[in-house]
Amino acid sequence: MNMEPIILLVVVAAIVILLALLAAGIPVAFALAVSGALGLFVLSGSSTASSALASLPYQSTAKVALVVIPMFVLMGVLAEKARIAEDVFLLGHRLLRRLPGGLALASLFACAAFGAVSGSSVATTATIGRMSIAQMQKYGYSTSFAAGVVAAGGTLSFLIPPSIVLVVYALLTGESVGATLSAGIIPGIITVIVFGLLILVRAKLKPSLVSGNVPVLTGAAAAGRTAVAEAAPTSAAASPGGESTHPADPDDPTDAMLAEKRKGYAGALKIALLFTIVIGGIYSGVLTATESAAFGAATALVMLLLDGFRQGRSALIVSIRESFSEAASVSSFIFGILIGATVFTYFLVSAGVPTQFATWVISLNPSPALVVILLLALMIPLGMFLDSLSVLLIVIPIAYPLVTGLGYDGIWFGILMIKMVELGLITPPVGMNVFVLAGTRGVTVANAFRGVAWFVPAELLVVSILFTFPDLVTWLPSTIRG
């Protein structure tokens, strides 16, 4: 790059400081803000840097469009408290139980369905993992295999709307929020299919992973044995012949639901309603992204109220208080990273890094496709050391202008970036989804990473498909109204 040596030295020093702060355990938001601020002071002087630091936090967050983030976060938390995830897991098992690895497929189905209202990969992984891993272990599934399925399935929340990460990408690049969210639907479906086929193939080739066909889950051992079930609730497990049963575990939330004889259809209807309000409203042009997020949060609150009335007033009040507290905490975390990344990005732009980088790449006269491939490949090592949101906030200002300048669609590139960032959630040393599951029912970090390793090539296969056939990403956004 044709950059003055002193400026290049300052940029390198700022990046080294950022990495050192992260290695020291400093929160990402503060690490980004400190390294960016120090770079600005050295590069522009105290007066300019102080002025920028005084205005950047407000400028980066005081936008009406950003209201969509806390609204989607609140909707996901309320949906979790309304026990929607539990219902879709039960329904998934009823639909998929006859297939090899039925409980694993049910877990993947639950991750995809709950991801359609959660928008948070960590929340989806924790919620579904709390229910499904214990059940899979109970029926003889390998702990490593079970943890891998849930950790990989949790990444779907990054892609299936209302993904918080997709919203952030749209706001940072100026792309339509509605179009960006709709672009994740078809790639999300493709990812579910590829993951599902991988589970089926592994279950067929190595039956010991799943102990053969998984039996039907019911609240009683079988029809006609209700009295026995009431005396000692069981999580019945019978092979197609209905012979064997497993005793209920009082610490297993799924067993408690089975004892209630819940079928899960209500959860599917709730998810369909929320998805219709959010995505249908945006797609039809009836609602803006902000309005659809607000309507979705309000609807999820009504669902929680209806579900909570059956649990008692005190339990309902606790659920509502916890929901708003958790939503505020998660939203503050996101906005903190947004502010820190804005400071660091402002420093990079002031140093001319995006422009110089683009000029340097173009001067090499590479194939445009090769440029995109190299940028996507860069996501893997970055994702190993930074959280996914930070990676996007740092890379987008540099990569987005270059890619769109080469003639590629910005939304298409965004979906590919999100897919590569997903790998950071399941690859060491960060692997956030894996660490979320660590300690759950005997799951260790080591066996979780072993289980999820099979899904890494599956993710790369999906990226290859989307790269080769961009219309799979761009078609649906092109039809959006309003």
Side-chain angles (χ1 to χ4, degrees), residues 186-212:
I186 294 177
I189 293 173
I190 293 173
T191 304
V192 172
I193 293 173
V194 171
F195 282 4
L197 290 174
L198 175 61
I199 292 171
L200 284 171
V201 169
R202 293 205 68 205
K204 272 288 190 182
L205 296 180
K206 195 174 182 181
S208 61
L209 290 173
V210 297
S211 295

Side-chain angles (χ1 to χ4, degrees), residues 83 86-87 90-91 94 217-236 253-266:
R83 302 195 296 177
E86 289 91 335
D87 281 340
L90 293 179
L91 178 60
R94 294 180 188 281
L217 294 176
T218 61
R225 294 161 67 179
T226 306
V228 176
E230 289 174 351
T234 62
S235 173
T254 308
D255 277 352
M257 292 182 296
L258 294 171
E260 296 175 16
K261 301 180 183 180
R262 289 166 61 184
K263 297 183 181 299
Y265 297 112

Side-chain angles (χ1 to χ4, degrees), residues 4-19:
E4 294 183 19
I6 185 63
I7 296 179
L8 181 60
L9 180 62
V10 172
V11 171
V12 172
I15 294 175
V16 170
I17 291 173
L18 171 62
L19 296 176

Side-chain angles (χ1 to χ4, degrees), residues 11-40 53 333 335-345 347-348 385-387 390-391 393-394:
V11 171
V12 172
I15 294 175
V16 170
I17 291 173
L18 171 62
L19 296 176
L21 291 174
L22 292 173
I26 303 299
V28 175
F30 294 105
L32 288 168
V34 169
S35 55
L38 290 176
L40 278 175
L53 292 175
F333 171 78
F335 277 84
I337 292 180
L338 184 60
I339 292 172
T342 299
V343 173
F344 191 78
T345 300
F347 158 67
L348 292 179
F385 299 98
L386 292 172
D387 70 274
S390 299
V391 171
L393 292 171
I394 294 172

Side-chain angles (χ1 to χ4, degrees), residues 234-481:
T234 62
S235 173
S239 52
E243 299 298 331
S244 63
T245 62
H246 290 273
D249 182 351
D251 296 325
D252 189 339
T254 308
D255 277 352
M257 292 182 296
L258 294 171
E260 296 175 16
K261 301 180 183 180
R262 289 166 61 184
K263 297 183 181 299
Y265 297 112
L269 291 175
K270 291 175 183 177
I271 286 179
L273 177 60
L274 288 173
F275 193 82
T276 300
I277 290 174
V278 174
I279 303 304
I282 295 175
Y283 186 81
S284 65
V286 174
L287 301 174
T288 65
T290 304
E291 291 168 344
S292 68
F295 273 107
T299 304
L301 177 59
V302 172
M303 292 176 180
L304 175 58
L305 291 174
L306 293 176
D307 184 76
F309 285 139
R310 294 194 293 270
Q311 302 179 44
R313 180 180 177 183
S314 59
L316 174 60
I317 292 175
V318 170
S319 294
I320 293 175
R321 183 172 63 245
E322 290 179 347
S323 296
F324 281 90
S325 176
E326 184 176 342
S329 177
V330 173
S331 298
S332 299
F333 171 78
I334 294 173
F335 277 84
I337 292 180
L338 184 60
I339 292 172
T342 299
V343 173
F344 191 78
T345 300
Y346 184 84
F347 158 67
L348 292 179
V349 172
S350 299
V353 173
T355 303
Q356 292 291 339
F357 179 74
T359 302
W360 174 68
V361 170
I362 293 174
S363 68
L364 298 177
N365 196 30
S367 162
L370 179 61
V371 173
V372 174
I373 291 172
L374 292 176
L375 288 173
L376 293 176
L378 180 64
M379 299 296 103
I380 297 178
L382 287 176
M384 290 180 177
F385 299 98
L386 292 172
D387 70 274
S388 304
L389 189 57
S390 299
V391 171
L392 290 180
L393 292 171
I394 294 172
V395 174
I396 285 173
I398 299 174
Y400 179 82
L402 175 59
V403 172
T404 53
L406 292 173
Y408 288 106
D409 184 87
I411 293 179
W412 169 78
F413 179 67
I415 296 298
L416 293 181
M417 277 190 70
I418 299 301
K419 291 298 298 178
M420 297 303 294
V421 166
E422 285 179 2
L423 288 174
L425 292 170
I426 56 176
T427 52
V430 177
M432 186 64 70
N433 283 11
V434 172
F435 282 95
V436 166
L437 291 177
T440 302
R441 294 280 177 167
V443 177
T444 65
V445 172
N447 61 26
F449 272 127
R450 282 198 302 272
V452 82
W454 289 87
F455 291 90
V456 173
E459 281 275 36
L460 294 176
L461 173 62
V462 175
V463 172
S464 301
I465 293 172
L466 299 178
F467 183 88
T468 306
F469 305 101
D471 286 348
L472 292 172
V473 176
T474 59
W475 173 75
L476 196 56
S478 69
T479 64
I480 198 169
R481 299 179 183 177

